[in-house]
Amino acid sequence: MQSFSNSASGAIVLSMADRIVENRAYLSEIDGKIGDGDHGVNMAKGFGMAADRLKDGNAGLGEAMNTLGDVLMSEIGGSMGPLYGMMFTEFSEVIEGKEQIDPATFSAMLHKGLAGIQEVGSAKVGDKTLLDTFVPALEAFDAATADGKSFGEALDAFSAAAEKGRDSTVDMVAKIGRASRLGERSRGVLDAGATSCAIILTTLAEGAKERLAEPA
Amino acid sequence: MQRFINNPDDVADDSVRGFVKAHKDLVRLSDKNRRVVVSTAAPVKGKVGVITGGGSGHEPAFVGYTGRNMLDAVAIGELFSSPTAKSFHEAIKEADGGAGVICLYGNYAGDNMNVKMAAKLAAKDGIEVATVVANDDVCSAGPEERDRRRGVAGEIFLWKIGGAKAASGASLEEVRVTSQKTIDNCRSIGVGLGPCTLPAVGHPNFTIEPGTMEVGIGHHGEPGIRVEPLKTAAEVARDMCQIVLDDHNLAEGTEVAVLVSGLGATPLNELYILNDTVEAEITARGLTIYRTFIGNYFTSLEMVGASLTVLALDEELKSLLDADASCPAML
């Protein structure tokens, strides 16, 4: 079974930060349609700060995720600070100490991250939040591995489902958070959290796929 | 719009630093967290600690209500964004005098999450934390969904009365019960005449067309219940009173405290014009105005508009409202 190295994959978090910072204006723009327009600003601030702390070091993926989670929780606030902060902290807890990340570990990491998000937030799938990206992606990954697909194929399924999940939020009415106050007026636009979540998850999958190797 | 800012990303920190320099007699910055303002009187041994927290951009809320017999500590977030769990946690620790800490805050998704996480962290330190969530904004959800309503300027009364109750030597549970009664007795409404802009975003994220007003607008420009052509001050004040008092449904003879707050860019002059009619409307309903507060108590950057809060009083709330206290926003 293929896997990827934890210690050699810390740069995946730097790639996530690059993608989030590149999308700063875009994320704020979609947030501005139904939220207060600061999603990109706050996300870029948090991911950028984490990248600054990580860029000269040699952190592995678990350690880098822990740093990112810590920065988001302790510096960003809002709703996204605790939600993504918990997600990355829980991710790191599962993989920290593991030399290689195989599909079972990757899946366990996703489930723990989801549990962390659900512990602080109260959203459900269909509420027009980042869960609409996260949950279908996780389910697609598990379904692919249960079908006997390779790690790489399961990661492709994971990314495709994340993007499809993100796009599904266009037709949803927000049930939670600031956008929910708009009722029907929240329909017709992407959810900013679902969009940033797709960026994070697809970057994670790409980075993992590039590093996949057969066990020595 | 031209603004007095340095770097748009530093607005929250720059403002807090200036605030603390101006009010050294009453407040200080936490040594451990630059986003926590602490009363110079805190912590008071044996007293329930009282804290809140919220996004920047609402000055003098939230920091301005830190002081003696008021809030012991306040956590500060980015503009219009909840403080971190870490900041709320630090505020709890700074306020802790050994009798537990109560967090009196507004009903917003981010604040709910961060306070919940901070309370968990504080429990590990052995500090008991109670919470009361303000939900006085009538137009943010129907009467059957009061738990979904946002917290707005009713929080001023919540902090004043909760702070006074704690200062009286009451237990954590007693402070919680009285604070909850205060917010249950509060109803508010906002009317927006012009939008506001987050400096880092650079343009307003909601619009109020010239010649119109948004009735029921939230403290961050959340849409209200209707957009209609701008009316005279007297008509607007009558509509505000009607919405608040219909929801409140108070018995004739009830004594009330009234707070008319500007949202940032409306002159005091106009708030008094509104109050001229507000006083008449409330009195005409057979209610007695015990005290009136007019000013910029809870703002939203440079939003043009005003909010009205009506608090129904009993003997306990009256004496706590009048209790001695001092803080930068209510000297």
Side-chain angles (χ1 to χ4, degrees), chain A:
Chain A
M1 178 54 76
Q2 285 190 309
S3 61
F4 65 100
S5 154
N6 183 359
S7 61
S9 300
I12 295 176
V13 171
L14 295 177
S15 306
M16 279 179 198
D18 286 343
R19 298 283 316 280
I20 291 290
V21 172
E22 277 162 31
N23 282 284
R24 181 183 191 268
Y26 173 65
L27 290 171
S28 283
E29 185 196 320
I30 46 179
D31 183 40
K33 290 177 182 165
I34 54 172
D36 60 0
D38 63 358
H39 185 61
V41 174
N42 289 338
M43 288 288 284
K45 200 168 177 177
F47 278 70
M49 277 168 82
D52 281 346
R53 287 191 199 177
L54 289 167
K55 69 176 177 236
D56 298 324
N58 259 327
L61 183 60
E63 201 185 331
M65 283 177 162
N66 190 38
T67 300
L68 175 59
D70 199 45
V71 168
L72 294 174
M73 271 202 270
S74 59
E75 303 289 342
I76 296 310
S79 306
M80 287 304 154
L83 289 169
Y84 281 136
M86 276 298 265
M87 183 181 91
F88 282 111
T89 305
E90 299 295 282
F91 278 180
S92 81
E93 228 166 79
V94 173
I95 61 174
E96 206 101 66
K98 295 244 171 26
E99 201 128 300
Q100 290 289 317
I101 298 166
D102 62 12
T105 306
F106 193 81
S107 172
M109 175 190 86
L110 297 175
H111 282 276
K112 190 90 194 296
L114 176 63
I117 292 168
Q118 288 174 327
E119 194 189 323
V120 276
S122 50
K124 296 184 292 294
V125 172
D127 286 353
K128 197 172 180 119
T129 71
L130 65 94
L131 288 185
D132 294 304
T133 298
F134 194 102
V135 173
L138 181 163
E139 285 171 353
F141 183 85
D142 283 351
T145 49
D147 272 1
K149 299 272 169 57
S150 71
F151 198 174
E153 289 167 326
L155 288 169
D156 287 340
F158 173 77
S159 289
E163 286 173 351
K164 199 171 155 210
R166 171 199 65 202
D167 294 341
S168 75
T169 62
V170 171
D171 288 327
M172 292 177 187
V173 172
K175 300 271 169 50
I176 199 157
R178 200 163 284 171
S180 68
R181 318 285 186 175
L182 289 164
E184 274 297 323
R185 284 157 77 179
S186 66
R187 203 191 289 279
V189 289
L190 279 171
D191 176 65
T195 307
S196 59
C197 188
I199 293 173
I200 290 165
L201 297 185
T202 56
T203 309
L204 173 62
E206 271 165 35
K209 215 178 143 186
E210 282 165 12
R211 291 167 173 81
L212 285 185
E214 294 299 337

Side-chain angles (χ1 to χ4, degrees), chain A residues 35 37 45 73 78 119 181-182, chain B residues 78 82 114 120 148 201 205:
Chain A
K45 200 168 177 177
M73 271 202 270
E119 194 189 323
R181 318 285 186 175
L182 289 164
Chain B
E78 294 288 328
S82 170
N114 287 300
K120 252 190 195 176
R148 293 195 61 223
V201 176
N205 71 298

